[in-house]
Each structure stands twice: as C-alpha cells, then as structure tokens.
C-alpha cells in the first residue's frame, strides 16, 4: 500500500495533467526514497536476472542502504543504465521473439519513472487503448470489440499488423513526442539512457539505433505514448471525422483493429494507414494486414456465408446463431493459440517426466489455471475441455515412457487422478 504522501503527489500531477496544454518541467526531484521504495514493492522479485545476476531477494537483504545509494546516484545524475541481456522465446507464428531483461535495480528505477509518467499520460490516452493500463486489459478490449461490432451489425475490419514494432521505434520521434508533455531534463536523460543502453546478445554487445527493449518495465508505456501520438490521435481527430459512416478503433499495445460500418470507409483507412505509419518509421506486414468482411448475416440466412473470421488477442471472432436464433458474435480460442498451449504442455511433460509426481502435478495445474484464466470466456468451454483432455493424454503418455519395467496406463492414471486431480475447465470471464 503506497503512503498517503506519495498518493497525494501522484494525484496532484494527474490533476495538473487534465490541462492537455500543460508541459511538466519539474518531475525528477519527485523520485525520492519513498517513491523508489514503492517502485521496489511493485517490482516482481522472482523475475529473470539481468547481466549482474542480482535477484530481488538479494537486493532486499540491504534494501534501505541500496535505496539510499540508488537515490543519491539518481539525484547527482550518476546513475548509469546497465546493458540489457537479450533472450529469445518461441513465437506462435514461428521464429523467435527477442526479450530484453535488465537488472533488478534498473527495473525499480524504470517503475518509478512509469509511476510519474502514467499520472500524466493516463489523462491523455483514449479509452480505446487497452494495453498495459490500470483497470483495463485484454478482456476489456475483447468486450469492447464485440459490443462495438454488434452495434454496427458487423462491418469491415482493418486487421493491421505492425512489423517489428518494438524494434522499429524511432528514438528521435519518441523524444519529440515526449517533449510535448515532459521537458524535465532528468527524466528525459534517464529515458535516453535506457534507449541507448547496450544489448548483450550471445556474448556480443551492440547498441541498436532504434527500438525499445521488449520486456523492459518502461517499454509498454513508451509504446503507448508513441502509438497514442501517431495512431490514436490521428484516427480520432483526423480520420474518423472524415469517414462517411460509423467506425471505431481497438488497440492493445501494438495490436489493433479498425472497424468500419462501410466497405468504402475501411478501404480508405487501409489506403492511408501505411503512409501514416511510414512517416514515423513503422511498416505494416503485407501478408498479415488484411481487410475482413465481417458483416452480420441476413436474418433469413442459416449460415454466416461470405464472412471472414477475425483473430485478435488470441481469440477467433465469428458470427453464429444464439440459442434464441439471433445472430451474435462469439469467440473461441484461436487455433494457433490452442496448438501452442497443447505443444507447450506436451513438451513440458516429455522433458519433466522423471520429476516427482507432485511436482509435475503442481506445474500442470499452474499451466491449466493460467490458460483458463485467460481463455475462460463465455462460449469457449468446449476448447477449454480440449486442452484439459490433451493434458491428461500427454501426461499419461510421458509417464508411461519414464523407463523401467512398470507400465503406467490409464488404470494407474485413474488412481493418480483421485489423489492429484487436475483442475477442471472453468469460465473465468462470464461477462466478456
């Protein structure tokens, strides 16, 4: 729980930020030990370590001394942003996604700056921006997309994919955008240090000229600030007023869709969007960006013929009949997302089949509950069951391949299930 003094400071900034013309020139002095302590509290202690190998638990052993020293280095402008350790994780579409991991202490500093800047920019951001914002999230975005599309009777959807967004952010453009609201030298210098921090990749250190490191605490906020200026404001203030029919934008970080009531409007947007993004160093993926006909079928139709489906935030959106016979939009786990989850569980069972049964059961429960927690929305129960059944089959298969003479079949698994049952599918978001 943050202190009343700290809450008052942030609230005062937020109140001042209501004036969209106000420029903040004095923020860095607010990064005191109190703010750093709160930033430490909000920072994950069990995350991956940076290049120094220091864990959150180790940092906490001398917490007061560490925070005093950190504050003094920040106050005297002696703080130096450490290099970022780069790792790669598999992508659902193939290939790998680079993730930047900084040191624990740097995460604390980034969190402190995020707290200050969020107090300002939360007054600027539009309601249709849902990614990495307090009180919002993917499920709110999904609900807004469904409700908005239903209100339009479907429409035409510009399904956009920005190629390598986090690696393409132009540092100069980002600084110019930040200066519209923040001209505090201490804050801008810190952000500059993070943008220019070296990246350690496979033992080699290099300094990219563009991009923000995926995985950095401050990167989601910088991404929102960047796209707010070049996409959200442009759509709301320039594009939308010029369209002939109704339209809306739903954005979650760099994933976004633009829904238009008319095909003509959608094609106009699709025509100008690449040119708009190109002005700021961004490009649309030509194969993944498309125009989707997503009209509500005729009342007399029995099938949603001629309509495409939309994959967004891990769900496939499609028209179908409700129990009362009305056309409605429902969502199911996207095929790639489901296959990725199945593959992850199969590989985990194979690689950990020699672990103790209780340890295996604990991890599989975590994986299933995590899946249900995100994909457990109304109308998607059947695909939750598919993953549940797949998990049981994968577990039995690899328990039976642990070696030795003892056979582990379904009879043995039934006994195991009585003692260590896997969590059943559940709908976690009935109102989404």
């Amino acid at each position: 729980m943050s202190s009343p003094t700290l809450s008052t400071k942030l609230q005062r900034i937020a109140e001042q930020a209501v004036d969209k013309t106000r420029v903040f020139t004095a923020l860095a002095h607010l990064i005191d030990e109190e703010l750093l302590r709160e930033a430490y509290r909000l920072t994950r202690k069990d995350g991956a370590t940076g290049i120094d190998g220091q864990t959150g638990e180790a940092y906490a052993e001398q917490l007061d001394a560490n925070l005093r020293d950190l504050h003094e280095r920040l106050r005297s402008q002696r703080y130096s942003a450490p290099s970022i350790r780069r790792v790669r994780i598999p992508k659902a579409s193939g290939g790998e996604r680079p993730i930047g991991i900084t040191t624990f202490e740097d995460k604390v500093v980034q969190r402190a700056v995020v707290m200050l800047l969020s107090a300002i920019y939360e007054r600027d951001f539009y309601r249709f921006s849902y990614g990495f914002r307090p009180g919002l999230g993917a499920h709110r975005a999904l609900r807004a997309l469904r409700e908005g599309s239903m209100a339009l009777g479907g429409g035409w959807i510009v399904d956009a994919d920005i190629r390598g967004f986090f690696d393409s952010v132009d540092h100069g453009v980002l600084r110019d955008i930040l200066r519209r609201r923040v001209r505090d030298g201490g804050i801008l210098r810190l952000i500059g240090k993070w943008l220019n921090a070296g990246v350690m990749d496979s033992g080699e250190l290099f300094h990219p000229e563009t991009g923000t490191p995926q995985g950095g605490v401050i990167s989601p906020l910088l991404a929102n600030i960047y796209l707010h200026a070049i996409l959200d404001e442009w759509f709301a203030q320039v594009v939308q007023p010029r369209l002939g029919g109704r339209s809306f934008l739903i954005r979650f970080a760099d994933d976004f869709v633009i829904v238009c009531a008319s095909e003509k409007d959608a094609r106009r947007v699709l025509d100008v969007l690449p040119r708009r993004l190109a002005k700021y160093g961004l490009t649309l993926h030509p194969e993944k960006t498309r125009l989707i006909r997503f009209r509500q079928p005729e009342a007399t139709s029995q099938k949603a013929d001629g309509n495409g489906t939309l994959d967004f935030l891990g769900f496939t959106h499609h028209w179908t009949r409700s129990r009362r016979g009305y056309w409605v939009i429902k969502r199911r786990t996207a095929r790639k997302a489901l296959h990725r989850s199945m593959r992850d569980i199969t590989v985990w069972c194979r690689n950990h089949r020699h672990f103790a049964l209780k340890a295996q059961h604990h991890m599989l429960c975590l994986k299933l509950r995590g899946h249900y927690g995100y994909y457990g929305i109304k109308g998607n129960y059947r695909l939750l069951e598919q993953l549940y059944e797949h998990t049981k089959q994968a577990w039995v298969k690899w328990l039976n391949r642990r070696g030795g003479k003892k056979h582990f079949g379904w009879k043995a698994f039934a006994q195991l299930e009585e003692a260590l049952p896997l969590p059943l599918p559940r709908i976690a978001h009935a109102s989404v």
Side-chain angles (χ1 to χ4, degrees), residues 174-398:
L174 178 57
R175 289 190 183 95
D176 289 342
I177 292 172
L178 286 167
R179 289 191 186 99
R180 299 176 190 175
R181 284 292 250 166
V182 177
R183 293 180 191 166
D184 181 286
I187 297 295
L188 294 178
R189 276 191 296 272
L190 273 175
I191 293 175
K193 289 178 180 180
W194 289 321
L195 293 177
N196 295 319
V199 176
M200 184 67 70
D201 191 351
S202 302
E204 182 179 354
L205 181 66
F206 65 97
H207 294 79
E209 298 180 357
T210 61
T212 64
Q214 294 187 58
V217 173
I218 200 169
S219 291
L221 177 60
L222 294 180
N224 274 335
I225 293 171
Y226 199 81
L227 288 172
H228 169 79
I230 70 174
L231 177 64
D232 299 356
E233 286 187 330
W234 170 73
F235 177 79
Q237 299 176 16
V238 178
V239 175
Q240 206 169 27
R242 299 182 182 180
L243 297 179
R246 290 184 294 169
S247 63
F248 65 90
L249 166 68
I250 299 290
R251 182 172 68 80
F252 188 94
D254 60 323
D255 293 330
F256 67 96
V257 292
I258 299 174
V259 184
C260 299
S262 74
E263 179 182 4
K264 180 180 178 181
D265 285 344
R267 292 193 180 279
R268 289 177 63 189
V269 171
L270 187 58
D271 181 57
V272 299
L273 182 60
R275 297 198 295 270
R276 171 67 180 182
L277 296 180
K279 289 177 60 177
Y280 300 93
L282 303 177
T283 58
L284 290 175
H285 197 296
E287 297 177 358
K288 297 181 180 179
T289 300
R290 59 188 183 131
L291 180 63
I292 302 172
R293 183 182 185 275
F294 201 66
R295 299 291 301 166
Q296 177 178 323
E298 298 294 333
T300 57
S301 175
Q302 295 300 313
K303 296 182 179 179
D305 292 336
N307 272 308
T309 59
L310 169 69
D311 282 359
F312 185 62
L313 298 181
F315 289 89
T316 296
H317 304 248
H318 60 101
W319 285 98
T320 188
R321 291 279 192 181
S322 69
R323 292 182 178 180
R324 296 184 178 181
Y326 301 111
W327 284 108
V328 296
I329 296 173
K330 290 191 177 182
R331 287 75 48 88
R332 60 176 182 266
T333 309
R335 182 180 301 175
K336 288 183 179 179
L338 181 60
H339 289 175
R340 181 175 66 248
S341 295
M342 289 179 171
R343 183 172 63 249
D344 172 66
I345 286 176
T346 298
V347 171
W348 193 92
C349 289
R350 181 191 67 197
N351 294 341
H352 298 83
R353 61 187 183 274
H354 296 294
F355 279 41
L357 289 178
K358 287 187 177 180
Q360 293 188 47
H361 172 260
H362 174 71
M363 183 55 66
L364 290 175
C365 286
L366 290 179
K367 289 179 177 294
L368 285 175
R369 290 193 183 107
H371 187 90
Y372 302 158
Y374 184 77
Y375 291 102
I377 68 172
K378 187 177 179 180
N380 195 40
Y381 189 84
R382 183 177 60 84
L383 292 187
L384 301 182
E385 283 186 315
Q386 282 192 23
L387 184 67
Y388 171 76
E389 294 297 334
H390 173 86
T391 301
K392 292 199 297 184
Q393 293 172 9
W395 201 14
V396 170
K397 174 181 176 180
W398 289 107

